[in-house]
Amino acid sequence: MKRLHVDSSKRLEHKVRKPKSDPREYGFTRLANGARILLVQDPEAVFAAACANVQAGYFDDPDDVPGLAHYLEHAVHLGSERYPDEKEYKAFLSQHGGASNASTSMVHTSFYLKIHSSMCGPALHRMGAMLEAPRLKPESVLREVENVHSEFSRNTNSDARKLLQLRRSTSQPPYSKFSTGNITTLRDDPMRAGLDVSTLLRGYWEKKYTGDGVCVCIVAPQPISEQESWVKASFEGIRTSSQSAPMGEGAPKGLIGSGFTTAIDSTQLGLLYSVIPQRELRELELRWHIPYGMMRDMECKPWRWVSHIVGHESKGSAAYALKQAGLIQSLSAGTGDEVRLGPGFMFWSVTMQLTEEGLDHVSTILKTIHRALQVILSSSSEQRQAIYEELQETSLLRFEYRDRQQPADLAKDAAQKLHYFDPEEVLAGPMLLNQFDEEAIRSFMSHLVPQNLNVYFSTKRHQSNTAVMSSMQVERWYGAKYSVAPFDEGLKAELAALVASLPPAESTPSTGPTTTATASATSVAPLMPLLHLPSANWALPVDAALMHSLPGLSPASSVSPTPTVLLERPGIRVWHCCDVSHRIPKAYVYLMLATPAVYRDPKAWITARLFVRLLDDLLEADAYHAEVLGCSYSVNCSEEGISIQMTGFSSVIPKLLDLVLHGLATGVTEGHVQERFDVMAGKMLQSMQVWKHNNPLQHAEYEADHFLQRPHWHVLHDSLPLLEKNLISPEDVLAFGRSLIPPRAGAGGNVDAEGGSTQVEMLLYGSLSSHQAAAISESVCETLRPAGLGSSPWPEVGIVQLYAPRPVEGTTSHPGNTAYVYVPDNPNPGNSNSAIFLVCQVGMDDPADRSKIVLLQLLVQIASKPCFHALRTVQRLGYTAGCQLYMHQGFLGFAVRVQAANYKPDVVGERVVQWLHDFRAELASVDSDTFEAHKSSLRERLLEPTKSLADAASRAWMPIRRRTFDFGAREAKAEFLSGTTLPNLLSLYDANIIPSGPSTQTLCTQMWGGGVPPEVEQKMEAVGSASTGEGEQPGGMDAMSAVAHVVCGYSHLVELKVGLECSYRPRL
């Protein structure tokens, strides 16, 4: 693809090809130093976004200092020559409602920010300054290496990261390099070698961070001409590389130069990797090496075409056949790691999650995938073109009517794509299939042969395989345990024969098999007749007309209207809102089928979730056609019942909803349940076992929710045993499904008073007329026949109030200041990282009183960057550290979260408590201008118009879902905010947040990496038994409260929660 040669002395007007639904204006300029800039005017944007993408990544790391590019990504944030204070960049963004982040990949490093649009120019000036002249002070960068190491440590327990690095480490450099770096490669080894790290960083920056390697995208409401003045002032000072030739026509010159040839050689292919994961993973990945980059065939995109066919899930696909045979749970196909610089390369993969049965039949699965490739190879040119044209049509529809990207997402995507696409095609080029090219397809598929293939087979079952264990190796950086061997020659020959010449496949049938086929899992032969090319997509053609049913509302409107009640009958209420302001012919459907039968007890909870999984399994083959078009649905269980969410083209929604509702009402039959129950129960069991291996901070947050919610059915203690002991049967699932939908009149019998009690709350939002919405509503009534909840209340759960469990001696009142330390068992003691999640309870989010939530939102905005700087940058407690608004089941609080690699949670708790004390003085010292700037930024966020149909629909649904019906909540919060003063905020902080406050109620959940040491557990249990508040308190709680209660383990918590009061969400 040609690169545009642009004269650096002027801005060019470019007609960027954009979606029909996109109202933004685009411009392009190239600075004198070679930097390429895409300028986007979004008149509706309240918050602007920008991204600077540097064409330099870990491929450019020196061989003896792995991770240097990633280290520099961190280090440039620590002050610049123009703005030397290392806190200044993030503090400035935070003060104006913004945030920033960065990432490093193979050949790119990306820096992005979001900020109130009025401050976009100064923010860009700061971003440009850190790229143009970072300070890189030795003391600062030496301190930052600990944060890089914390990031590395966080990922050492990730199977995905272990497998990623294994693939790379067993390849050729530079692909095989260690991208993240750690304290050994970035501090200790260089120090032993006599190398100065800050000098190395500066050398890398001088060589790689040059104008001709930088692409920037800005999205803001200001005119293009004003944005252009910003970028000249901000980025024109970045040096030009003296080694780089002027950019002209032809492929972009990669900074890694012509020395880069290939990612992997022939001796590293044709191999089977047997990997022992940490989690209960059963994964099989087939990964082919393609020795050229995407830019060669970008017009045709043959990899997309092949992925579409092989990854299809309808009847006739490999996924469908293997699922029906009980061998796999899921299948996906597509490109993985890829580089477009120079000749480039890519990897194309088919990844499957296996069943227990599938572990015994890997060769059958391999043969089936190769047979699927053969179906493509043996198809006629007419068949191939017909499928390509259908995919071309769906790609065009998805592009032309895509929901508007958030400014930050657009900036990140466009800045990276600008390295490879002309400005005119930077949006459309990556998405559209422009030309059917049989030769490009044939060339791509010629590489999908066994000699270009590696297979990665991950399962814990390898631990009992003597042959695998006898040749076990450990990957150097992340410690993946694996064995590697060449393919069995017999299997290799069979696979090669399957993708060799065979008779042409039969013509694509108009519909798939109408009955479920059961294949023997011991041989590939019974699966062969099940495979054929995808049938025609039933969701096409699409009616792309917009509906205009509301007076005064047009596609040009920026105001999203408010839902109104369209239908209300016993058992059902339907809300409707026709919104075409986002210019796309799509709609959202939200449906809550409220019933106490779902969360009645742990068995009901797991039974309901199994029913939903079986429903998804039933619908998958037919619903996949709609998914190809970007139309999707989800069915989930919650404490309140079963929720359905659906989005897509308005002309497709009625068909898709009909499919889902009829499946819910009558589709999950006894035959389907009996046939697929074991697979679905096994999949759920596996997901719970995998859940144990979440990172410690995820577990700490989950356990805090478990402590505070009543009832709350715990994954390990309430749910997992039901599946492990086979206490739920297919009959239970069938009975639950039948209880959801009451019998039709004349069917006999009464509706079960509990299981048959259902109430529907529904919203139809988007490009749907009132007539269409009414027709959909009647269909829902006819299919679900909701009977109402009768005398039962709307299902809900309570939140525990953190008052002391016993009154003060001699009184009947509870002490106002109370602290709990909860030390649950660590589900994954093999993870050495620790975490705390500390919550200060404030109260319920009451629609009639906005003070609590507004003050908390303002506090979080002011405190977020000081918290990050104190706990992560200065104290270096861990890579993940910060504060947030805590909101669970309507209850509000202020939370601090830290995951630490080198500190135990009691020490982290002490540091957090101390920071809460210290921050009070910092908060009190905020000057009036800064305080008003924070208020203004928060107000703008509250009043910011919706940026997409998805955002508008979600905002409309939340008040209905929560049953507060306060559609004007944002405006009411903004009005309250206008009168808020710093003394108001300090009053809240003093009463509810500062550890010594008179009403502070705090829960500190500690997750101990490696498990709680016995001596610590004994000490905590002793303190917990006493609960007197006298003497030494655990984990810094002596500074937190006069009454600290320690809760060790699940059984102690069960006893405690019985005696604590609950609060429930206020309703309007």
Side-chain angles (χ1 to χ4, degrees):
M1 175 157 297
K2 292 183 178 181
R3 286 298 297 271
L4 184 73
H5 180 67
V6 183
D7 183 86
S8 62
S9 63
K10 64 178 182 177
R11 170 168 56 90
L12 296 187
E13 298 294 341
H14 284 271
K15 189 66 176 178
V16 174
R17 184 175 182 184
K18 61 182 184 178
K20 291 180 178 179
S21 57
D22 188 352
R24 295 161 169 152
E25 295 298 327
Y26 294 81
F28 175 80
T29 190
R30 184 176 175 188
L31 303 182
N33 60 5
R36 296 175 295 283
I37 318 290
L38 186 71
L39 307 167
V40 185
Q41 183 184 13
D42 183 349
E44 298 172 11
V46 174
F47 285 84
C51 177
N53 189 290
V54 183
Q55 200 173 80
Y58 87 79
F59 275 21
D60 300 300
D61 284 346
D63 292 340
D64 53 350
V65 192
L68 191 68
H70 179 226
Y71 192 9
L72 181 60
E73 171 221 302
H74 280 244
V76 297
H77 287 85
L78 303 175
S80 64
E81 295 302 326
R82 278 190 269 174
Y83 301 96
D85 185 350
E86 63 182 55
K87 294 190 299 182
E88 210 277 341
Y89 178 61
K90 289 185 178 291
F92 179 82
L93 296 177
S94 176
Q95 181 179 342
H96 300 287
S100 67
N101 211 332
S103 62
T104 303
S105 62
M106 290 179 284
V107 295
H108 293 281
T109 302
S110 181
F111 302 89
Y112 41 97
L113 63 82
K114 174 185 176 182
I115 193 165
H116 189 272
S117 58
S118 64
M119 290 292 140
C120 186
L124 289 173
H125 202 250
R126 286 159 172 79
M127 174 186 273
M130 75 183 191
L131 301 179
E132 175 188 332
R135 296 197 76 190
L136 304 179
K137 292 174 59 179
E139 60 270 27
S140 297
V141 299
L142 190 61
R143 184 178 67 237
E144 187 63 22
V145 76
E146 294 187 34
N147 289 322
V148 176
H149 184 76
S150 293
E151 183 177 352
F152 160 75
S153 179
R154 180 193 62 174
N155 292 329
T156 55
N157 295 281
S158 164
D159 281 319
R161 182 54 69 103
K162 287 175 182 288
L163 188 56
L164 174 66
Q165 190 61 49
L166 173 62
R167 298 190 203 104
R168 293 176 174 176
S169 293
T170 52
S171 302
Q172 290 291 302
Y175 182 58
S176 61
K177 292 181 179 180
F178 171 40
S179 62
T180 306
N182 59 25
I183 208 163
T184 302
T185 69
L186 299 173
R187 187 190 70 183
D188 299 346
D189 286 350
M191 193 177 295
R192 280 191 288 268
L195 300 174
D196 179 68
V197 174
S198 61
T199 301
L200 291 172
L201 288 168
R202 185 164 297 279
Y204 185 104
W205 164 76
E206 289 177 348
K207 185 178 180 182
K208 303 298 180 184
Y209 280 48
T210 57
D212 48 339
V214 173
C215 289
V216 178
C217 178
I218 299 165
V219 185
Q222 287 82 355
I224 298 293
S225 58
E226 185 175 351
Q227 294 185 32
E228 185 180 13
S229 67
W230 295 343
V231 300
K232 285 184 176 180
S234 302
F235 298 102
E236 207 157 39
I238 299 174
R239 298 170 349 278
T240 301
S241 171
S242 59
Q243 291 79 30
S244 295
M247 189 66 70
E249 293 189 353
K253 180 178 179 180
L255 296 183
I256 53 176
S258 58
F260 173 68
T261 54
T262 186
I264 195 167
D265 66 33
S266 59
T267 64
Q268 296 168 322
L269 291 166
L271 302 175
L272 171 64
Y273 287 85
S274 300
V275 184
I276 299 177
Q278 286 189 315
R279 303 185 180 209
E280 293 297 329
L281 191 64
R282 300 190 297 263
E283 183 176 278
L284 186 68
E285 180 186 18
L286 287 68
R287 191 169 188 256
W288 285 268
H289 173 239
I290 312 298
Y292 59 85
M294 287 186 174
M295 299 310 295
R296 194 189 83 172
D297 292 323
M298 188 57 70
E299 290 296 298
C300 175
K301 300 180 179 65
W303 52 89
R304 284 262 301 275
W305 183 82
V306 177
S307 301
H308 168 70
I309 298 173
V310 177
H312 218 280
E313 296 181 12
S314 64
K315 295 172 182 177
S317 67
Y320 184 81
L322 290 168
K323 286 177 183 178
Q324 295 305 310
L327 301 184
I328 70 169
Q329 296 173 347
S330 64
L331 181 151
S332 61
T335 54
D337 282 346
E338 54 100 3
V339 165
R340 303 178 187 186
L341 297 179
F345 70 84
M346 59 181 136
F347 288 93
W348 186 82
S349 302
V350 177
T351 304
M352 292 157 285
Q353 304 303 317
L354 309 185
T355 63
E356 285 283 352
E357 181 76 11
L359 294 175
D360 296 323
H361 302 288
V362 169
S363 63
T364 295
I365 297 171
L366 292 175
K367 293 173 189 177
T368 303
I369 298 302
H370 280 75
R371 170 57 178 157
L373 293 174
Q374 175 54 40
V375 168
I376 302 174
L377 289 169
S378 60
S379 61
S380 67
S381 178
E382 292 76 13
Q383 289 175 312
R384 296 182 190 186
Q385 185 161 356
I387 293 174
Y388 189 91
E389 289 174 354
E390 181 180 278
L391 184 60
Q392 194 174 32
E393 181 181 359
T394 60
S395 298
L396 181 61
L397 283 166
R398 294 186 72 157
F399 173 74
E400 294 287 19
Y401 301 108
R402 68 184 304 187
D403 210 351
R404 200 185 322 177
Q405 282 183 290
Q406 294 293 327
D409 295 332
L410 172 59
K412 285 185 283 186
D413 286 351
Q416 197 269 343
K417 300 298 191 303
L418 200 57
H419 285 289
Y420 304 104
F421 292 89
D422 290 340
E424 292 90 344
E425 293 298 318
V426 73
L427 302 181
M431 292 190 66
L432 298 183
L433 281 69
N434 295 320
Q435 181 179 346
F436 176 68
D437 185 341
E438 191 140 22
E439 182 53 40
I441 291 172
R442 193 176 292 116
S443 173
F444 179 81
M445 294 202 67
S446 71
H447 297 286
L448 304 183
V449 291
Q451 57 266 37
N452 285 346
L453 170 68
N454 281 336
V455 174
Y456 299 85
F457 180 27
S458 301
T459 173
K460 284 192 169 184
R461 190 184 287 189
H462 291 320
Q463 292 172 326
S464 60
N465 187 317
T466 304
V468 169
M469 296 304 294
S470 63
S471 57
M472 187 59 56
Q473 302 179 52
V474 179
E475 191 276 324
R476 176 182 180 184
W477 300 114
Y478 286 96
K481 297 178 181 178
Y482 70 99
S483 175
V484 59
F487 289 153
D488 175 81
E489 286 299 324
L491 175 61
K492 186 175 181 180
E494 284 190 70
L495 299 181
L498 283 167
V499 290
S501 298
L502 282 181
E506 295 181 2
S507 298
T508 305
S510 58
T511 58
T514 56
T515 58
T516 300
T518 303
S520 167
T522 59
S523 170
V524 73
L527 298 180
M528 294 296 197
L530 300 179
L531 303 185
H532 56 73
L533 295 173
S535 57
N537 193 326
W538 59 260
L540 292 172
V542 166
D543 181 358
L546 285 172
M547 299 299 158
H548 303 277
S549 65
L550 294 182
L553 185 66
S554 71
S557 172
S558 62
V559 179
S560 297
T562 300
T564 56
V565 175
L566 177 72
L567 179 149
E568 187 164 17
R569 297 174 184 168
I572 185 170
R573 176 166 48 187
V574 180
W575 300 76
H576 170 240
C577 183
C578 180
D579 182 357
V580 295
S581 63
H582 297 276
R583 306 168 175 86
I584 55 176
K586 294 183 179 180
Y588 278 78
V589 176
Y590 296 93
L591 188 153
M592 169 55 68
L593 185 65
T595 171
V598 169
Y599 211 67
R600 181 177 53 229
D601 53 48
K603 183 174 181 179
W605 176 233
I606 299 303
T607 301
R609 291 169 63 192
L610 276 172
F611 173 82
V612 165
R613 282 179 179 256
L614 283 158
L615 174 63
D616 280 335
D617 182 66
L618 172 75
L619 301 177
E620 191 171 54
D622 289 325
Y624 188 79
H625 286 281
E627 187 177 325
V628 171
L629 267 172
C631 308
S632 62
Y633 80 94
S634 63
V635 184
N636 294 290
C637 294
S638 71
E639 291 89 344
E640 294 173 296
I642 293 178
S643 63
I644 298 173
Q645 180 176 335
M646 187 172 296
T647 180
F649 288 100
S650 303
S651 62
V652 177
I653 284 288
K655 304 173 193 174
L656 184 58
L657 184 60
D658 187 66
L659 179 72
V660 173
L661 293 182
H662 278 87
L664 181 69
T666 60
V668 184
T669 62
E670 182 176 0
H672 182 73
V673 172
Q674 293 292 345
E675 183 178 344
R676 300 291 291 165
F677 178 85
D678 288 344
V679 172
M680 293 297 106
K683 188 175 182 179
M684 182 180 287
L685 176 61
Q686 182 190 12
S687 70
M688 291 182 184
Q689 292 167 336
V690 167
W691 178 89
K692 297 179 187 178
H693 294 270
N694 283 351
N695 69 53
L697 186 55
Q698 288 174 307
H699 281 305
E701 293 187 40
Y702 176 86
E703 293 292 349
D705 290 346
H706 176 69
F707 188 110
L708 294 172
Q709 178 178 313
R710 192 171 73 194
H712 185 278
W713 310 130
H714 197 284
V715 172
L716 296 185
H717 303 291
D718 298 311
S719 301
L720 185 60
L722 294 171
L723 293 173
E724 289 180 327
K725 298 175 183 179
N726 297 315
L727 297 179
I728 297 177
S729 67
E731 290 71 27
D732 293 325
V733 175
L734 276 169
F736 172 81
R738 290 166 179 163
S739 73
L740 284 178
I741 312 300
R744 292 185 181 276
N750 296 319
V751 178
D752 179 77
E754 191 167 44
S757 300
T758 57
Q759 176 79 29
V760 169
E761 197 81 54
M762 184 177 178
L763 170 65
L764 300 168
Y765 194 100
S767 182
L768 286 171
S769 68
S770 55
H771 176 75
Q772 288 174 309
I776 292 173
S777 303
E778 291 298 337
S779 177
V780 170
C781 291
E782 172 64 19
T783 306
L784 297 185
R785 303 186 301 283
L789 295 173
S791 59
S792 300
W794 186 273
E796 62 181 345
V797 295
I799 293 295
V800 167
Q801 293 271 244
L802 292 175
Y803 297 119
R806 292 195 296 274
V808 176
E809 187 174 352
T811 73
T812 59
S813 64
H814 295 266
N817 182 303
T818 310
Y820 289 88
V821 179
Y822 179 35
V823 189
D825 296 332
N826 190 339
N828 182 25
N831 190 327
S832 61
N833 291 284
S834 295
I836 72 155
F837 188 70
L838 185 147
V839 179
C840 302
Q841 276 194 337
V842 174
M844 277 289 180
D845 180 21
D846 188 346
D849 178 9
R850 307 292 180 184
S851 61
K852 295 184 184 69
I853 190 167
V854 172
L855 288 171
L856 282 170
Q857 286 178 309
L858 185 58
L859 175 62
V860 169
Q861 177 161 311
I862 295 173
S864 60
K865 288 302 181 285
C867 180
F868 179 89
H869 183 73
L871 301 182
R872 176 181 151 168
T873 306
V874 177
Q875 300 188 49
R876 305 183 296 284
L877 295 181
Y879 178 73
T880 304
C883 63
Q884 67 186 63
L885 172 70
Y886 179 78
M887 187 171 186
H888 183 64
Q889 299 294 345
F891 211 95
L892 300 170
F894 180 82
V896 180
R897 58 203 300 268
V898 180
Q899 181 167 306
N902 301 315
Y903 295 90
K904 294 302 181 185
D906 54 348
V907 175
V908 177
E910 291 173 358
R911 301 283 187 89
V912 170
V913 168
Q914 189 60 52
W915 176 79
L916 288 170
H917 275 292
D918 295 345
F919 180 68
R920 203 283 178 190
E922 188 174 348
L923 181 62
S925 68
V926 173
D927 61 70
S928 59
D929 288 344
T930 301
F931 185 74
E932 290 301 319
H934 279 295
K935 281 178 57 178
S936 176
S937 176
L938 177 57
R939 183 179 185 279
E940 294 287 359
R941 279 199 289 124
L942 289 170
L943 299 179
E944 183 178 17
T946 56
K947 300 303 296 179
S948 64
L949 183 64
D951 186 19
S954 177
R955 284 193 192 182
W957 173 241
M958 279 300 103
I960 301 171
R961 174 73 173 78
R962 293 170 179 165
R963 297 182 63 73
T964 57
F965 311 111
D966 52 341
F967 299 106
R970 287 173 171 265
E971 291 76 10
K973 291 175 186 178
E975 183 178 355
F976 178 86
L977 178 65
S978 63
T980 300
T981 64
L982 182 58
N984 297 149
L985 191 58
L986 289 169
S987 177
L988 174 89
Y989 197 87
D990 290 341
N992 300 107
I993 311 298
I994 195 167
S996 56
S999 305
T1000 303
Q1001 300 165 24
T1002 305
L1003 170 65
C1004 182
T1005 304
Q1006 300 181 355
M1007 190 59 60
W1008 285 69
V1012 184
E1015 63 275 13
V1016 174
E1017 189 169 0
Q1018 291 170 7
K1019 174 183 173 182
M1020 287 185 166
E1021 287 179 344
V1023 175
S1025 299
S1027 290
T1028 61
E1030 299 176 359
E1032 185 178 9
Q1033 297 290 335
M1037 292 300 110
D1038 54 329
M1040 177 170 282
S1041 173
V1043 183
H1045 306 274
V1046 181
V1047 183
C1048 280
Y1050 179 72
S1051 58
H1052 188 181
L1053 176 60
V1054 170
E1055 293 177 17
L1056 177 71
K1057 284 173 73 172
V1058 171
L1060 294 176
E1061 297 177 5
C1062 275
S1063 293
Y1064 294 87
R1065 186 194 302 273
R1067 313 290 189 187
L1068 284 181

